[in-house]
Amino acid sequence: MESPKEDKPIEAVPGVTEKASRKSDSIGEIEDGNNQLHRHLGNRQIQLIAIGGTIGTALFVSIGGGLAVGGPGNLLLGYSVHALMVCLINNSLAEMVCYMPVSGSFIRMAGRWVDDALGFLAGWNFFLYEAILIPFEITALNLILTFWTDKIPVAAICIAVIILYAIINILAVQYYGEAEFWLASGKLILILIVFFFTFITAVGGNPQNEPYGFRYWYSPGAFAEHVHTGTLGRFEGFLGSLFSACFTVVGPEYIAMVAGEAERPRVYIKNGFKTVYWRFFVFFVLGALAVGIVIPYNDPALNNGSGTANGSPYVIAMQNMGVAVLPHIVNALLLTSIFSAGNAYVYCAMRSLHGLACDGQAPAIFKRTMKNGIPIYAFGVVMIFPFLSFLQVSGSTASAVSTLQSVTEGATMINYICISLTYIFFHRACKAQGIDRSTLPYKGWFQPYGAYITLVYMILIEAIFGYVVFVPGHWSVADFFPPYTMAFVTIVLYFGWKLWHRTKFVKPEEADLVWDKPQIDAYEATFVEPPTRLRDELWELFTRRKRTRENHMGEDSS
């Protein structure tokens, strides 16, 4: 980033001064405006949100289902393939968001650069996806607690979690960022524990003093059969593992959603996107490898249907080896991971609804914010969804988790389809309007071909996601609707809005590539000091001493 050329803040644009961006006002007064979110999220918080948005419940619990249907070989292949595809999504999203870090992010970009109806579809799909995942995480949290006892009233846990989510998200955004920083730190500790557990026990550091290595890749084998037998069954096992990855491997969209409230977004958000590539390899590819090492795919506990935390493949492996204390530590950290995921979903659902309202695709009341920048009415609507977690009170916790997961899986693919299509139109608009992409804050590589690849891939996955119900002898209405519910909803949303408002696709030469760029440029120009680096912020946090920094302008702040 170039050195600022202004000596004083730009007062003509509301909310762009450094002072204003850091100010925390009273939460009692409500403001009205098109976008009154405050830029309070610093580099340290953004980097840990980027990590926390990647690691969720699925990486430690649901991944066991992918292992059970595909085996360790298929699990590793499936997670590697899908992680590569989501890296390409990140490549597209980073270029757009770093150029135009606005509230609502890719949701509003779809409406501005492609078709207003696509923005409507993308926004409501993402809102429903995030909102429905909130009760999923609360239900999963109850699932983990059953590891110790089933005496705690389910309703009491639901109420306690809902209250905590409300407190964290009604305060100014920097408090959300601070909470996520510490919760994401717990996730990092958890993944380090399971990785060290895998390595140490595999080389012989277990109660049996037996180096088992890759034993389970040979017996029962690396590739499980699913639905059918033989080669076809093993291929379907790969598809089952791939579909598991589709629910587990996520993350870039969460970085994009905080762009409108990030300090120095073209530096800090850019660095957050750049870390996605190595994080995906470490967390998902190595995570899939680790799970396939510690437990065989045919272990009955993986699909015991008991509805307890024993469904975590790591906990099952620890109990199988006779490890006494570690399962309790892992499950305790799992609680923080699950709570953090639900907290992030509350935040993203609020901001997506606010973004829809800013572009006139949701009632205008949802764009109103309090003095601290919290979209208060959007908050009120979002906090209704956690109460769906009470469905488990009268039924099976495991069944509730499975149903909520199935309904939301298809929405992830639709989200990535919208991002891919938006980038293709953005790339065309840059070319038509003579914008040199090498001058952008972040230039994606292998474009626009990467976007075309992910567009085709995500459409294909969405189409075949529930293929098993069409196999003779497997038809079930109850099994048909969960994978395709969101697909039907989005078709209705898109064509309903398009026909009602008679929208048209945006021509490349008419796409609004200026939009909020002047305000963002003015905001970035208010900073007179170089951007901070993550290691410097961590040093200051833990030592309470400020490290003397040289000018790191233009360096990655990580």
Side-chain angles (χ1 to χ4, degrees), residues 120-200:
F120 182 76
L121 178 159
W124 283 103
N125 174 76
F126 190 69
F127 168 75
L128 291 172
Y129 167 61
E130 296 296 309
I132 292 173
L133 279 174
I134 302 168
F136 166 79
E137 296 297 341
I138 297 175
T139 306
L141 192 143
N142 265 308
L143 195 66
I144 297 300
L145 286 173
T146 59
F147 177 78
W148 293 288
T149 178
D150 57 2
K151 304 297 184 183
I152 304 175
V154 171
I157 297 300
C158 293
I159 292 171
V161 174
I162 291 170
I163 291 173
L164 288 173
Y165 284 162
I167 292 172
I168 293 172
N169 284 277
I170 197 65
L171 298 174
V173 70
Q174 67 263 36
Y175 297 108
Y176 162 80
E178 200 62 31
E180 278 303 294
F181 171 81
W182 294 107
L183 290 169
S185 298
K187 294 182 182 182
L188 281 177
I189 294 171
L190 176 58
I191 200 161
L192 287 175
I193 287 175
V194 297
F195 279 178
F196 276 113
F197 163 77
T198 301
F199 176 75
I200 292 171

Side-chain angles (χ1 to χ4, degrees), residues 232-245:
L232 176 60
R234 287 188 288 274
F235 175 71
E236 289 180 290
F238 165 74
L239 291 179
S241 295
L242 183 64
F243 297 155
S244 169

Side-chain angles (χ1 to χ4, degrees), residues 363-435:
I365 193 172
F366 294 130
K367 70 182 179 183
R368 299 182 69 185
T369 65
M370 297 189 298
K371 291 289 289 183
N372 66 343
I374 300 299
I376 181 61
Y377 295 109
F379 166 82
V381 170
V382 169
M383 290 310 298
I384 294 173
F385 284 85
F387 288 92
L388 290 174
S389 60
F390 283 92
L391 290 173
Q392 63 185 305
V393 174
S394 58
S396 165
T397 301
S399 175
V401 170
S402 177
T403 301
L404 289 171
Q405 176 180 334
S406 298
V407 170
T408 58
E409 282 178 332
T412 310
M413 301 304 104
I414 296 168
N415 183 42
Y416 290 155
I417 289 169
C418 292
I419 292 172
S420 300
L421 193 59
T422 301
Y423 181 82
I424 291 169
F425 274 72
F426 170 74
H427 188 280
R428 289 172 54 196
C430 287
K431 190 173 182 179
Q433 297 182 27
I435 296 178

Side-chain angles (χ1 to χ4, degrees), residues 144-350:
I144 297 300
L145 286 173
T146 59
F147 177 78
W148 293 288
T149 178
D150 57 2
K151 304 297 184 183
I152 304 175
V154 171
I157 297 300
C158 293
I159 292 171
V161 174
I162 291 170
I163 291 173
L164 288 173
Y165 284 162
I167 292 172
I168 293 172
N169 284 277
I170 197 65
L171 298 174
V173 70
Q174 67 263 36
Y175 297 108
Y176 162 80
E178 200 62 31
E180 278 303 294
F181 171 81
W182 294 107
L183 290 169
S185 298
K187 294 182 182 182
L188 281 177
I189 294 171
L190 176 58
I191 200 161
L192 287 175
I193 287 175
V194 297
F195 279 178
F196 276 113
F197 163 77
T198 301
F199 176 75
I200 292 171
T201 58
V203 298
N206 54 68
Q208 292 75 35
N209 296 317
E210 184 180 4
Y212 58 87
F214 284 83
R215 173 188 299 169
Y216 301 132
W217 283 61
Y218 297 97
S219 177
F223 302 97
E225 296 174 344
H226 181 55
V227 184
H228 294 93
T229 58
T231 303
L232 176 60
R234 287 188 288 274
F235 175 71
E236 289 180 290
F238 165 74
L239 291 179
S241 295
L242 183 64
F243 297 155
S244 169
C246 293
F247 180 71
T248 307
V249 183
V250 296
E253 60 270 39
Y254 298 107
I255 305 175
M257 289 306 294
V258 303
E261 294 172 273
E263 295 177 358
R264 311 183 88 134
R266 289 180 176 150
V267 178
Y268 298 154
I269 292 295
K270 174 183 176 180
N271 291 330
F273 277 119
K274 288 171 69 176
T275 63
V276 165
Y277 304 109
W278 67 261
R279 287 191 287 107
F280 273 23
F281 173 75
V282 172
F283 299 150
F284 296 121
V285 178
L286 293 186
L289 178 63
V291 169
I293 290 174
V294 298
I295 187 171
Y297 70 78
N298 62 352
D299 191 303
L302 281 176
N303 286 307
N304 63 7
S306 64
T308 70
N310 293 337
S312 169
Y314 293 108
V315 174
I316 296 170
M318 292 169 189
Q319 292 177 327
N320 289 347
M321 295 179 198
V323 178
V325 178
L326 203 53
H328 296 276
I329 296 174
V330 167
N331 275 312
L333 288 170
L334 263 175
L335 291 178
T336 67
S337 175
I338 293 169
F339 182 86
S340 170
N343 193 40
Y345 298 144
V346 172
Y347 174 90
C348 288
M350 287 167 57

